[in-house]
Amino acid sequence: MTKPIHESTDTDSYVDPVTHPDPATDGSDRYDGEQFDLEERQALRRVAGLSTELQDVTEVEYRQLRLERVVLVGVWTEGTLRDAENSLAELKLLAETAGSQVLDGLIQRRDKPDPATYIGSGKAKELRDVVLAEGADTVICDGELTPGQLRQLEDVVKVKVVDRTALILDIFAQHASSREGKAQVELAQMTYLLPRLRGWGESLSRQAGGRAGAGGVGIGGRGPGETKIELDRRRIRTRMAKLRRELAGMSTAREVKRQERRRREVPSVAIAGYTNAGKSSLLNRLTGAGVLVENALFATLDPTVRRAHTTDGRGFTLTDTVGFVRHLPHQLIEAFRSTLEEVAGADLIVHVVDGSDIDPAAQLSAVRTVLAEIDAAGIRELVVVNKADVAAADVVDAIVRAEQRRGNRVVVVSARTGAGIDELVAALDDLVPRDEVCVEVLVPFADGRVVARVHDLGEVELEEHTEHGTRLRARVPHRLAGELARYVISPA
C-alpha cells in the first residue's frame, strides 16, 4: 500500500490506542481508533513511476532546450485507483510531449474537486511542500480548472498552474502546420483564454481617464477609459471573429471537395482512433502516403486524404484524422469540427486501437464518446487492433471478443511489421460500399461526351471501336447506369 505523503515513521511518538484511549470531545468514552483507513483514503498519494527519465525526453526532436520541471496532480472522484493512476500516466505522456520533465505525480481522493483550490486548501499546502522539495516550476492538474481554481491554487503553490485543457492546446499549437490547423488551434486557445484573463497589480489599472493628480494621464488622455483587461478581451473577441470567418471559408473549400467526391460517388473511409494508436502508420502501409509518423501524442493534426483501391479495383478515399483523447476539450471539438466532418461523412470508420496500451477498452470508449458528439456514432466500424507485435496476447483476445459481441468486425495488425495487413485489405474489400453496376453499352460516335462521362465516373474494363460506335464494358454508379440504359447492348 502506498504511504501518504509526510506519513510519520517515528516510533518514539507512537501511542498505543488500547492503553491510551482518546476520548471523544463530548466527554463520552466512545473511541473509533486512529482512523488509519480514513487517513489513507484522504491522503495525497504519490503515483510511482511518473518521473521522466531525461534520456527519453531528448529522443523527441521538438523538445525545448530548457524543459519545464513539473509536478502532476489529479483528483480521483470515481472508478478504481488503477483508473486514476492510468489517467495520471496519460497526463505524464501529454506533459512530456509538450516538452516538460515530470518530477512527481500525486492523486487526491475526493467525492468531487474542491471548488476553491481543486484539491482542497490543506492538500494545496502539501502540494506546495512537494513543489519546493522537487524544485518544480509548474503544476499540471488532471482536469479542467475554473478561473477561480487556477488563481487560488497558484496563490498557494506560488508557481504556474496549468490544467489538462491548456496542456492539450499547447501540444496542438506545437504540431499545427497548415494554415487551417493553426487557425483552428488559435481559435480554441482564445476560447479557453477569454474567461481566464487576469492581470497582476498595475496591469489592471485604467489606461486613460481621470485627472492627472488622481492617477490619470492628464491632458489628451481624459475620458471614460478602458482597463487593460477589457482591452485584451475586446482584442481577443475581434481576433476570434476574424478566425471564424477564415475557417468558414476553408470549411467551404473542404465541403466543395467532399461534394465532388459524393458526386462521383466515391466511397469514403476514415481512419479514427486514440492519439498515438498508429493511424498514420496504417495509412502509410495501405497507400504509401508518406505522412509524418512519430511516437508522440497528436503528431497528426491536419487530415490527409489519399485515393485507394480494393483488390477488385473499386476506388475509395482513405482519410487520416486527428487523434482523440480522454476528456478532449470542447474548444478543440468545436474548432476542429470542419476537420472532424471527414469522419462524420464517412461510409466506414476504421477504428484503430493500441493493443499495447495499459487500458485499450478506455481508448475505445473515449473515441466513441467523441464520435457521438460529432454525430458519427451510427457509422459502421471496422476495429483494427494495432501494435500486435508488442501487445499481450490475452489483452488482444479480450478486445477481439468484446468487439465481436458488439457486432463489429475486428482485425489484428502491426503497422510496423506489416503483420495482418492482408487481412485488413480483405476486410476493406468486404466492407467498402459497392455502389456500382456492370454495364455493356454501344455508344454512337455522335455521343462522344457519353464515352467521356463513363471514363470520368466509372471504371472501364473494355473499350473497342466498331462500325456502329464505341463499345464499352464498365463498372459505373447506379445514377450513370440509368443514363446509359438506352445504349445497353441486349444479350444475344
Side-chain angles (χ1 to χ4, degrees):
M1 183 180 295
T2 306
K3 289 186 177 181
I5 293 177
H6 312 310
E7 183 178 17
S8 174
T9 56
D10 184 0
T11 55
D12 294 337
S13 60
Y14 175 76
V15 178
D16 190 307
V18 177
T19 57
H20 296 82
D22 184 15
T25 54
D26 60 0
S28 67
D29 59 355
R30 286 183 292 103
Y31 179 66
D32 259 354
E34 292 293 327
Q35 301 289 321
F36 288 131
D37 289 341
L38 183 62
E39 289 180 17
E40 173 66 17
R41 284 200 301 271
Q42 294 180 343
L44 194 62
R45 359 168 145 240
R46 276 195 168 90
V47 178
L50 286 189
S51 177
T52 299
E53 294 295 333
L54 204 56
Q55 59 266 28
D56 292 339
V57 174
T58 55
E59 290 175 1
V60 183
E61 62 183 11
Y62 51 78
R63 297 294 188 206
Q64 298 173 357
L65 185 60
R66 179 189 176 278
L67 301 176
E68 289 190 54
R69 298 164 57 83
V70 305
V71 170
L72 311 179
V73 61
V75 172
W76 168 25
T77 59
E78 59 184 7
T80 65
L81 177 60
R82 184 188 173 194
D83 294 335
E85 291 182 345
N86 288 349
S87 181
L88 211 65
E90 181 178 270
L91 188 69
K92 171 181 180 283
L93 293 177
L94 289 168
E96 291 175 345
T97 301
S100 300
Q101 179 184 356
V102 178
L103 303 175
D104 208 345
L106 310 166
I107 292 177
Q108 162 68 355
R109 182 72 169 99
R110 300 180 65 91
D111 292 333
K112 60 182 179 180
D114 181 67
T117 60
Y118 183 64
I119 57 174
S121 58
K123 294 299 178 286
K125 292 175 182 176
E126 289 186 36
L127 176 61
R128 169 62 179 165
D129 294 339
V130 174
V131 167
L132 286 172
E134 298 288 349
D137 50 34
T138 305
V139 169
I140 302 179
C141 299
D142 191 17
E144 183 168 334
L145 274 60
T146 66
Q149 287 173 325
L150 276 171
R151 183 177 63 253
Q152 294 188 58
L153 188 56
E154 275 188 353
D155 288 344
V156 176
V157 299
K158 305 300 183 185
V159 295
K160 180 172 68 175
V161 175
V162 176
D163 63 11
R164 183 188 181 93
T165 299
L167 177 62
I168 293 175
L169 289 171
D170 183 79
I171 297 170
F172 270 57
Q174 289 185 39
H175 290 185
S177 56
S178 70
R179 180 166 168 258
E180 183 176 15
K182 290 177 180 177
Q184 288 168 327
V185 171
E186 186 178 355
L187 178 60
Q189 284 181 317
M190 288 187 170
T191 304
Y192 171 82
L193 177 64
L194 189 60
R196 291 170 173 81
L197 277 183
R198 65 181 190 274
W200 299 96
E202 294 297 320
S203 67
L204 290 184
S205 62
R206 289 194 178 276
Q207 301 301 294
R211 293 178 291 110
V217 295
I219 296 172
R222 284 187 268 262
E226 184 176 34
T227 63
K228 185 177 185 301
I229 198 167
E230 289 167 348
L231 187 64
D232 289 342
R233 283 177 179 152
R234 180 165 56 83
R235 286 173 174 165
I236 287 177
R237 290 191 184 100
T238 302
R239 178 62 179 162
M240 287 172 66
K242 182 180 179 182
L243 287 170
R244 288 194 179 100
R245 288 193 299 270
E246 291 178 358
L247 287 170
M250 298 175 198
S251 178
T252 301
R254 188 184 298 279
E255 180 61 26
V256 168
K257 294 178 182 177
R258 200 178 295 123
Q259 291 286 0
E260 178 66 13
R261 294 198 294 267
R262 291 196 193 108
R263 185 182 71 80
R264 292 171 174 265
E265 300 185 12
V266 178
S268 172
V269 177
I271 303 178
Y274 213 74
T275 180
N276 207 30
K279 299 181 295 300
S280 298
S281 300
L282 207 59
L283 179 70
N284 289 344
R285 272 282 177 186
L286 291 171
T287 67
V291 298
L292 169 71
V293 172
E294 197 162 21
N295 184 25
L297 306 187
F298 302 115
T300 301
L301 289 189
D302 303 310
T304 302
V305 182
R306 290 291 183 270
R307 181 80 181 228
H309 292 83
T310 58
T311 53
D312 58 1
R314 287 177 291 127
F316 64 95
T317 59
L318 199 58
T319 306
D320 185 19
T321 61
V322 62
F324 302 143
V325 72
R326 295 179 187 90
H327 313 302
L328 190 67
H330 289 284
Q331 296 94 333
L332 278 174
I333 295 176
E334 288 303 315
F336 279 74
R337 186 164 291 277
S338 63
T339 301
L340 295 173
E341 283 171 0
E342 295 286 351
V343 180
D347 298 299
L348 173 68
I349 294 176
V350 176
H351 188 164
V352 185
V353 59
D354 181 359
S356 66
D357 188 74
I358 52 179
D359 194 358
Q363 283 196 2
L364 289 162
S365 176
V367 171
R368 286 175 177 139
T369 298
V370 179
L371 291 177
E373 290 188 42
I374 60 174
D375 301 323
I379 300 173
R380 187 170 188 180
E381 287 182 46
L382 167 61
V383 178
V384 178
V385 184
N386 193 21
K387 306 186 183 180
D389 54 317
V390 292
D394 57 335
V395 174
V396 172
D397 290 342
I399 298 171
V400 171
R401 288 194 300 270
E403 290 304 313
Q404 287 175 341
R405 284 196 296 270
R406 291 177 61 97
N408 292 325
R409 186 161 174 176
V410 188
V411 180
V412 180
V413 306
S414 169
R416 187 174 68 85
T417 66
I421 296 298
D422 291 341
E423 290 81 5
L424 175 58
V425 171
L428 288 172
D429 284 350
D430 295 340
L431 298 178
V432 168
R434 295 176 180 269
D435 195 24
E436 297 175 331
V437 292
C438 188
V439 297
E440 190 164 351
V441 296
L442 181 63
V443 182
F445 292 120
D447 292 341
R449 60 178 181 79
V450 175
V451 176
R453 189 163 168 76
V454 172
H455 277 281
D456 189 31
L457 298 180
E459 307 249 353
V460 177
E461 298 174 355
L462 171 69
E463 179 177 8
E464 62 180 4
H465 300 288
T466 71
E467 57 181 324
H468 301 293
T470 304
R471 183 180 178 184
L472 295 170
R473 185 167 67 241
R475 299 187 67 87
V476 297
H478 282 285
R479 176 170 50 81
L480 182 56
E483 298 175 17
L484 296 173
R486 61 193 178 114
Y487 302 111
V488 171
I489 300 174
S490 301

